[in-house]
């Protein structure tokens, strides 16, 4: 086992850290308060190759490994986890299924601009009545000659309002259950697609979340990803990587909150000394530092498995479960260490705590991760 990062991994980590600590921090409080989508920062990420980090150079990506990807998302999410999820969705939930299941024509048309960051993607699986129970898709894709006609509503779509490209999951043969589901790649501006109002969220407020409605949307058959009926498996495989991105994001939320809390505890005085000299604060920080190391090891192990071409679905579910749960606890403790200052926006930690909550919910709740893990250990 080698615990040392390569030069490339350190470069990815360092440039993400510089961007977050020097640039993204400047307007993060205002963007959170006003729920402003960070278009200019997404552009900067694109210019540095972060929007198609793992896509092969042949398809205009940066071709980095998954460890670099985890390190970069962690650094960005320490300051701005909304940018972390925008980046994670584009890389893991959109570029990945197109690169792995798409035809060369689909890659040329859709993957290249997504990997360059000229276009942004969204992944449309969840529905008003099919969130955790994802096989119960009500959106239909009915065959009609050379096309499919898509009808239905998708919910909670990250990048839903800003994305140019959608990966959409829909039922073609409902009588065949999950084996009748298909996945499609399409332009988000097709006739018949409409976007619902911006969701006014508790956290991750700078990422845009919308419902998306399909009314008789005509999609050419050549837009289907993979073979007929492969859609559910494509979605599940895609989520294995997506969950690793969210684990990295939760790791960033926790390590960001810890760094703010450590600095505050070394500066703030109470009862005649810096509060880090009070055992309760010092022990909290010791627990936080230890748990963050555990989180990082789980996330990097899943990333390493993926890079080795080994099965990583269970490891990624474990990383997501542990990182999300610990991020909630660590960000809450960081607020506690700050006392009253932690409860106001200027000190950042209340935002990280609100943002952490979503990591326990999206891309499979913590309970769904336990289903995935318990099925794997049962064999
Ligand atoms: N890889 C490949 N195939 C898989 C798989 C995987 N990881 N997981 C399941 N499958 C296959 C199974 O083998 C099975 O196929 P066969 O019958 O042919 O063998 C099929 O999929 C159905 O599997 P299950 O019987 O296990 O299905 P289930 O109904 O019990 O559900 C589940 C499984 C894991 C709970 C799944 O429904 C699930 O992951 N739910 C959560 C969905 C989710 O994460 N949603 C978030 C959406 S994205 C988002 O959050 C929005 C955003 O923009 C960020």
């Amino acid at each position: 086992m080698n615990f040392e990062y390569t030069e490339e991994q350190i470069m990815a980590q360092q440039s993400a850290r510089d961007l977050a600590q020097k640039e993204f921090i400047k307007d993060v409080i205002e963007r959170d308060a006003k729920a402003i989508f960070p278009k200019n920062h997404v552009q900067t990420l694109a210019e540095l190759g972060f929007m198609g980090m793992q896509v092969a150079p042949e398809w205009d990506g940066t071709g980095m490994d998954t460890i670099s990807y985890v390190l970069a998302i962690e650094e960005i999410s320490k300051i701005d986890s909304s940018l972390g999820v925008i980046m994670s969705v584009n890389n893991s939930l959109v570029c990945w299924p197109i690169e792995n299941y798409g035809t060369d024509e689909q890659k040329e048309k859709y993957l290249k601009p997504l990997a360059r960051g000229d276009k942004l993607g969204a992944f449309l699986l969840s529905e008003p009545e099919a969130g955790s129970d994802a096989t119960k898709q009500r959106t239909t894709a009915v065959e009609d000659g050379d096309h499919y006609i898509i009808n239905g509503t998708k919910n909670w779509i990250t990048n839903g309002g800003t994305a140019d490209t959608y990966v959409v999951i829909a039922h073609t043969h409902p009588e065949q259950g999950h084996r009748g589901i298909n996945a499609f790649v399409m332009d988000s501006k097709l006739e018949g697609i409409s976007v619902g109002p911006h969701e006014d969220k508790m956290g991750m407020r700078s990422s845009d979340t919308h419902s998306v409605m399909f009314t008789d949307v005509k999609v050419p058959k050549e837009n289907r990803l993979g073979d007929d009926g492969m859609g559910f498996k494509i979605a599940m495989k895609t989520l294995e990587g997506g969950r690793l991105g969210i684990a990295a994001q939760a790791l960033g939320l926790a390590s960001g909150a810890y760094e703010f809390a450590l600095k505050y505890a070394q500066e703030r005085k109470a009862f005649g000394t810096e509060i880090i000299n009070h055992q309760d604060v010092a022990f909290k920080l010791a627990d936080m530092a230890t748990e963050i190391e555990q989180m990082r090891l789980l996330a990097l192990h899943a990333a390493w498995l993926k890079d080795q071409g080994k099965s990583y679905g269970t490891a990624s579910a474990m990383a997501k479960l542990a990182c999300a749960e610990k991020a909630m606890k660590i960000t809450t403790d960081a607020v506690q260490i700050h006392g009253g200052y932690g409860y106001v926006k200027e000190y950042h930690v209340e935002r990280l705590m609100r943002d952490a909550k979503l990591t326990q919910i999206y891309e499979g709740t913590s309970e769904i991760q336990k289903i995935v893990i318990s099925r794997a250990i049962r064999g």
Side-chain angles (χ1 to χ4, degrees), residues 137-172:
Q137 297 286 303
R138 293 201 177 177
T139 299
T140 52
V142 175
E143 290 181 274
D144 179 27
D146 293 342
H147 288 78
Y148 288 93
I149 307 293
I150 303 194
N151 280 289
T153 299
K154 296 290 178 181
N155 247 25
W156 315 123
I157 307 304
T158 305
N159 301 341
T162 37
D164 310 278
T165 305
Y166 288 160
V167 168
V168 181
I169 312 297
H171 234 136
T172 300

Side-chain angles (χ1 to χ4, degrees), residues 126 132 158 178-179 232-233 236 240 243 363-364 375:
S126 299
S132 290
T158 305
H178 65 78
R179 295 192 185 116
F232 191 72
K233 291 203 181 209
M236 290 297 108
E240 291 182 351
R243 288 167 183 164
E363 297 204 29
R375 286 183 182 174

